[in-house]
Amino acid sequence: HRVEGKTLCDLFSQLRLTKLPQHVGECLNAWYRGERPLKLMHKIPSPEALLRMQASGERACTAFLGRDLERVYGHRDPLEFLLHDLSHMEKFVANGLYYQQVGFFAFLCSSCAPRHAGTWSDFGHGWRLAWNYVTSDMNASVCH
């Protein structure tokens, strides 16, 4: 088998890597074709930055470089973190729910975030963790 002159996307479209979820290759190929509003980053965006990205129709995908590859982020190593972000990207566009999700995050960004910063933040650490989860580590549609 020759791989000379092949891109990473060529390989993902022709191979099924059994150790990786199928959505990884699909997402990377779709991004390569311009079909995923994925923003490649090399650091973890803040929950506020991620909320603004999602409200504008983008989803972050963090690929760590250099010394950051040696760290563990919570319970995820850099590869698990990347796979997690790619999974969120696919859920962001899945089943025709892209515009619902963008609308949901735009509503949170424009209507709820100012209230959160002004009033709700007094609700304590548990509230802040829940708010950050909803605004930056969850996919949502009108069914939620």
Side-chain angles (χ1 to χ4, degrees):
H1 296 291
R2 287 186 41 175
V3 292
E4 241 177 77
K6 299 281 184 179
T7 67
L8 184 59
C9 287
D10 292 334
L11 293 175
F12 272 114
S13 67
Q14 295 169 10
L15 299 175
R16 172 68 180 109
L17 303 172
T18 58
K19 298 290 182 187
L20 292 178
Q22 186 172 350
H23 72 267
V24 171
E26 293 169 359
C27 184
L28 290 174
N29 280 312
W31 180 43
Y32 184 74
R33 292 188 308 266
E35 298 170 359
R36 293 293 181 272
L38 193 146
K39 182 173 183 174
L40 182 62
M41 305 189 77
H42 301 296
K43 64 180 178 109
I44 302 171
S46 69
E48 297 80 16
L50 191 50
L51 175 60
R52 287 189 301 273
M53 273 189 259
Q54 294 175 133
S56 68
E58 295 180 307
R59 183 78 199 188
C61 184
T62 306
F64 296 105
L65 301 172
R67 290 206 164 161
D68 289 334
L69 288 170
E70 301 168 7
R71 295 181 53 200
V72 172
Y73 302 86
H75 61 279
R76 293 187 177 100
D77 65 31
L79 179 59
E80 290 172 315
F81 207 95
L82 176 64
L83 297 177
H84 177 81
D85 280 355
L86 291 172
S87 173
H88 274 294
M89 179 71 253
E90 285 306 283
K91 291 174 185 170
F92 195 57
V93 299
N95 302 318
L97 298 178
Y98 171 77
Y99 292 105
Q100 288 183 25
Q101 293 194 71
V102 171
F104 174 74
F105 290 116
F107 168 74
L108 289 179
C109 193
S110 65
S111 300
C112 299
R115 174 161 278 175
H116 169 71
T119 306
W120 297 344
S121 59
D122 294 339
F123 292 164
H125 181 69
W127 173 265
R128 185 178 56 78
L129 290 175
W131 170 258
N132 287 346
Y133 174 74
V134 168
T135 60
S136 64
D137 196 32
M138 184 178 106
N139 291 92
S141 66
V142 295
C143 297
H144 289 122

